[in-house]
Amino acid sequence: MSARRSAGPTLKDVAAIAGVSYRTVSNVISGKAPVSAATRARVEAAIAELDYRPQLAARQLRVGRSNLLTLSVPFLSLPYFAQLAHAVVTAAEAVGYDVVVDETHGDAERELRAASGYRTLLSDGILLSAMSIGDEELMAARGRTPLVVLGERIRAARVDRVVVDSVTSTRDATGHLVAAGRRTLGFLGTVPDASSGAAAADLRLEGFRTALRAAGLEADPRHLLEVSPWDQRSPDGDYSREEGDARVRALLATPDGLGGLDGLVCANDLLAIGALRALREGGVDVPGRVAVVGWDDAPESAFAVPPLTSIAPDLGELARLAVASVLRLVDDPDSPPRVEQAPYRLVPRASAP
Amino acid sequence: MSARRSAGPTLKDVAAIAGVSYRTVSNVISGKAPVSAATRARVEAAIAELDYRPQLAARQLRVGRSNLLTLSVPFLSLPYFAQLAHAVVTAAEAVGYDVVVDETHGDAERELRAASGYRTLLSDGILLSAMSIGDEELMAARGRTPLVVLGERIRAARVDRVVVDSVTSTRDATGHLVAAGRRTLGFLGTVPDASSGAAAADLRLEGFRTALRAAGLEADPRHLLEVSPWDQRSPDGDYSREEGDARVRALLATPDGLGGLDGLVCANDLLAIGALRALREGGVDVPGRVAVVGWDDAPESAFAVPPLTSIAPDLGELARLAVASVLRLVDDPDSPPRVEQAPYRLVPRASAP
DNA sequence: TCGCGTGATTTCAACGTTGAAACCCGGGTC
DNA sequence: GACCCGGGTTTCAACGTTGAAATCACGCGA
């Protein structure tokens, strides 16, 4: 006897018990062909008796679909991606799909593998949240598997994408500070190499600048706080609480300290939460002296000290759009690429009332 | 032409180009049979030319394995489960497995479906973190698919489980407070219905009591704070920051307020973080007046105000043990059930130095 | 009474892969 | 020179399911 798996019952086993052909059992299950009430009952009894379950692999082989989507994110352990995964699993379930989760750790090679459809054909479509690879690499690597990119790092028009507008959202967040009378604003989370050019953080910086310009303001270069270069060893990437803490701490240690800074826009909530700690421990009142806003609306942000004002992307909608997009591609691989936007809103809290 | 999928190349297509039989292509890919260097090169060139990928469904159908595990958790959006998912994906990847994530929302019906192996045969094994169903239901529902239960809710000896010892870990956490001179201790997170009897929170309460007893202390019943009954509508379950905040706020609103409470042990970090907020806003100094410990060591806990002392379960090890267990079952379905323990450690921070 | 249509059921083949076994061929061995 | 050995390669069948088409039973109108 071969070393095969538990060898559960098959259509044939059910058919034998019910006294019909196995095709009829299939008909009962799929409901695609009419079956008399009597046989249906017999078949269903047999199914229950054997606890029969269809073998997805066989179905998939036959029909060419797995009803599986792959979600590829850098780190499931970051709140943003955890929320995203939650939203995607929920959205996929609503349309009868399961989700395989892949973590890239922001590793370019792994992101390329995701873009190209992995080594093995498994899922019907891929949702990729990239943070290391750029447009050309992605376009070069992509394979036949339907692909939808999440987020604004990738800008190529020839891929389906679902995004939340980083520029206008961050402009709004910055505008919120300006409207509250803040005049000396800083930005936490600029990226070292200008080469990337399309990272979400760059777009958020752009939104920051747009808002300042609109208000006739300008940012002191010392208030543009750059995060450390990407570090593979860090388990959570560089937009972390620790990094936010460190960068603001460094600013405070500067000869002029804050230098009049009265508002800080952060590229994400984790950086903001780190910044809050550094400010608090540095004796700087928030929002009295400095107002802080983040981006993500992580669940913990409402419980930060003080509670953090943030941009809340509608991840539920993002996920629904993404799933819909990828399924459209599954149905029609030649469907022209679209870029869709998910909404966001500004959630004001005590850190920037 | 039928409406099948993109119809990528198959072994036969590669074979045609390379001028060999398709079985030889298979040999090149699997490496299970010797292939001469010359043909190997030709085949590999053909593979590259066509960008051939093996079709997992066909392989799975043939060999009876999918190299897929299903992880079933209540909420991916809770830090604990997000960390757990991260750990499981990592551990599975190390042994060549992908992970399908299923969210039950703590719904009993969905947990039962997970325990029984889902409606369709897809993954080789299931890792289930249950929070609603009990021993009997689980044993009754379980099907043929190898199952490993994560966590201590389920106690049945006849299922494989991987746990972190809630009793001793919480006893340690409580002991830490006692050692620091705290004498009037409370517990946040008792559960309403005593019927469940095996929920992790109950075990943590037991650990709390054990430690008190060992120190010759006793808890004032008013200091055993019960969380609200499970609420399906709540997106995050009842062990939430909001709940912790509400329960402690309620205690403070009591005629005697804290009533001498000088240490609070929380069933998890989210409750503790909520508690910290309520205490802070109630003007209660932590740890000056009340020391607080949590359980989970959520990433955000190090940045809480004050940073939270917590029990840090070794989720990496938990995941490795769980994956190893389920794969053992896959290889040998009759392998006797085991219960394995993952280690934990106490991480002291400012909330309970 | 015959044929016809429709509902119910079955037969057949195919999806792409791999285990098992057969085959082929050149180089020893006796 | 007959034989065996083993690397290299191929043939064959099967995994469990579903699309397509064939078959069957039966009531009904002509």
Side-chain angles (χ1 to χ4, degrees):
Chain A
M1 181 176 165
S2 84
R4 287 201 67 256
R5 212 234 304 243
S6 40
T10 74
L11 283 181
K12 293 186 184 178
D13 301 317
V14 176
I17 293 198
V20 294
S21 82
Y22 65 91
R23 191 57 176 87
T24 298
V25 179
S26 172
N27 285 338
V28 169
I29 292 168
S30 71
K32 290 204 167 187
V35 177
S36 76
T39 38
R40 154 162 288 120
R42 288 215 314 287
V43 168
E44 273 165 357
I47 288 179
E49 181 183 338
L50 292 179
D51 191 25
Y52 164 81
R53 323 280 174 111
Q55 202 134 318
L56 202 55
R59 178 179 294 173
Q60 175 181 359
L61 175 60
R62 183 64 241 244
V63 306
R65 296 207 181 165
S66 60
N67 276 38
L68 241 39
L69 295 177
T70 299
L71 172 66
S72 181
V73 295
F75 299 97
L76 216 38
S77 45
L78 294 182
Y80 177 80
F81 295 112
Q83 301 294 120
L84 178 62
H86 168 71
V88 167
V89 168
T90 303
E93 185 201 319
V95 293
Y97 268 74
D98 283 321
V99 177
V100 177
V101 173
D102 177 48
E103 283 186 281
T104 61
H105 305 281
D107 179 38
E109 207 166 317
R110 303 192 52 154
E111 294 189 352
L112 290 177
R113 197 185 316 158
S116 78
Y118 300 94
R119 271 192 302 268
T120 212
L121 262 31
L122 164 65
S123 57
D124 294 343
I126 298 170
L127 306 183
L128 171 62
S129 185
M131 70 183 300
S132 286
I133 64 175
D135 283 8
E136 313 75 25
E137 292 151 289
L138 177 108
M139 294 310 295
R142 80 184 286 199
R144 274 176 290 263
T145 307
L147 175 69
V148 171
V149 172
L150 309 179
E152 294 189 301
R153 179 176 177 82
I154 301 295
R155 281 173 156 173
R158 310 215 22 246
V159 206
D160 276 78
R161 283 182 293 147
V162 183
V163 303
V164 176
D165 190 328
S166 281
V167 175
T168 67
S169 58
T170 311
R171 190 201 58 197
D172 291 359
T174 310
H176 181 72
L177 296 184
V178 172
R182 310 289 170 161
R183 288 297 175 266
T184 312
L185 303 183
F187 184 88
L188 169 57
T190 66
V191 285
D193 65 2
S195 70
S196 77
D202 280 346
L203 296 172
R204 293 180 192 163
L205 177 58
E206 188 185 325
F208 171 75
R209 289 199 155 118
T210 306
L212 287 192
R213 215 174 300 124
L217 300 173
E218 200 170 354
D220 183 330
R222 287 173 308 167
H223 291 154
L224 302 181
L225 305 182
E226 183 171 280
V227 296
S228 300
W230 174 257
D231 180 355
Q232 202 58 251
R233 289 157 307 179
S234 153
D236 281 352
D238 47 1
Y239 282 15
S240 61
R241 306 174 187 85
E242 288 77 9
E243 188 67 21
D245 181 58
R247 297 284 67 81
V248 171
R249 214 170 275 271
L251 177 66
L252 289 171
T254 278
D256 353 288
L258 288 180
L261 185 79
D262 61 5
L264 183 63
V265 176
C266 304
N268 77 347
D269 273 15
L270 294 190
L271 287 174
I273 284 166
L276 288 180
R277 168 150 102 178
L279 292 170
R280 185 173 55 244
E281 296 188 353
V284 178
D285 182 50
V286 176
R289 178 131 165 245
V290 180
V292 177
V293 301
W295 204 108
D296 278 347
D297 194 32
E300 66 193 84
S301 297
F303 283 76
V305 182
L308 182 64
T309 294
S310 190
I311 294 292
D314 187 340
L315 294 183
E317 184 62 13
L318 176 75
R320 278 186 292 274
L321 290 170
V323 168
S325 270
V326 81
L327 293 188
R328 180 171 47 76
L329 281 180
V330 169
D331 282 335
D332 174 15
D334 302 319
S335 150
R338 287 191 207 163
V339 176
E340 305 197 82
Q341 297 226 348
Y344 63 87
R345 63 201 170 83
L346 174 70
V347 180
R349 296 200 187 91
S351 77
Chain B
M1 180 178 165
S2 86
R4 286 199 68 257
R5 211 234 304 246
S6 40
T10 75
L11 282 181
K12 293 187 183 177
D13 301 318
V14 176
I17 293 198
V20 295
S21 83
Y22 65 90
R23 190 59 176 86
T24 298
V25 179
S26 172
N27 286 337
V28 169
I29 291 168
S30 71
K32 291 205 166 186
V35 177
S36 75
T39 38
R40 156 162 285 121
R42 288 214 315 287
V43 168
E44 273 165 355
I47 288 178
E49 182 183 337
L50 292 179
D51 191 26
Y52 164 82
R53 323 280 175 110
Q55 202 133 317
L56 203 55
R59 178 179 296 171
Q60 175 181 357
L61 173 60
R62 183 63 241 248
V63 305
R65 296 206 182 168
S66 60
N67 275 38
L68 242 37
L69 295 177
T70 298
L71 172 68
S72 182
V73 295
F75 299 98
L76 216 37
S77 45
L78 294 182
Y80 177 79
F81 295 112
Q83 301 293 121
L84 177 62
H86 167 72
V88 167
V89 168
T90 303
E93 185 200 319
V95 293
Y97 268 74
D98 283 320
V99 177
V100 177
V101 174
D102 177 47
E103 284 185 281
T104 62
H105 304 281
D107 179 39
E109 206 167 318
R110 303 193 51 154
E111 294 189 353
L112 288 177
R113 197 186 316 159
S116 78
Y118 300 95
R119 271 191 302 268
T120 214
L121 261 32
L122 163 65
S123 57
D124 294 343
I126 298 171
L127 307 183
L128 171 62
S129 185
M131 70 183 298
S132 287
I133 64 176
D135 282 9
E136 312 76 25
E137 292 151 289
L138 178 108
M139 294 311 294
R142 79 184 288 199
R144 274 176 291 263
T145 307
L147 174 69
V148 171
V149 172
L150 309 180
E152 293 187 302
R153 179 175 178 82
I154 301 295
R155 281 172 157 174
R158 312 212 24 245
V159 207
D160 276 77
R161 283 182 294 148
V162 183
V163 303
V164 176
D165 189 328
S166 282
V167 175
T168 68
S169 57
T170 310
R171 190 201 58 198
D172 290 0
T174 310
H176 181 72
L177 296 183
V178 172
R182 311 288 171 162
R183 287 296 174 268
T184 312
L185 303 182
F187 184 87
L188 169 57
T190 66
V191 285
D193 65 2
S195 68
S196 78
D202 281 344
L203 296 173
R204 291 182 194 163
L205 176 59
E206 186 185 328
F208 170 74
R209 290 200 154 118
T210 307
L212 287 192
R213 214 173 302 126
L217 300 172
E218 199 170 355
D220 182 332
R222 286 172 309 164
H223 290 155
L224 303 181
L225 306 181
E226 182 173 280
V227 297
S228 299
W230 173 257
D231 180 355
Q232 202 58 249
R233 289 157 307 179
S234 154
D236 281 350
D238 47 1
Y239 282 14
S240 62
R241 306 174 187 87
E242 288 77 9
E243 188 67 21
D245 180 58
R247 297 283 67 81
V248 172
R249 212 171 278 271
L251 176 66
L252 289 172
T254 276
D256 353 288
L258 287 179
L261 186 79
D262 62 5
L264 184 63
V265 176
C266 304
N268 78 347
D269 274 15
L270 294 190
L271 287 174
I273 285 168
L276 288 180
R277 168 150 100 178
L279 292 170
R280 185 174 55 246
E281 297 189 352
V284 178
D285 183 47
V286 176
R289 179 129 165 246
V290 180
V292 177
V293 300
W295 205 106
D296 278 348
D297 194 33
E300 65 193 85
S301 297
F303 283 77
V305 181
L308 182 64
T309 294
S310 191
I311 295 292
D314 187 339
L315 294 183
E317 185 62 13
L318 175 75
R320 279 186 291 274
L321 290 171
V323 169
S325 270
V326 80
L327 293 188
R328 178 173 48 76
L329 282 181
V330 170
D331 282 336
D332 174 15
D334 302 319
S335 151
R338 287 191 207 163
V339 176
E340 306 197 82
Q341 295 226 350
Y344 65 85
R345 63 200 170 82
L346 174 69
V347 181
R349 296 203 186 90
S351 77

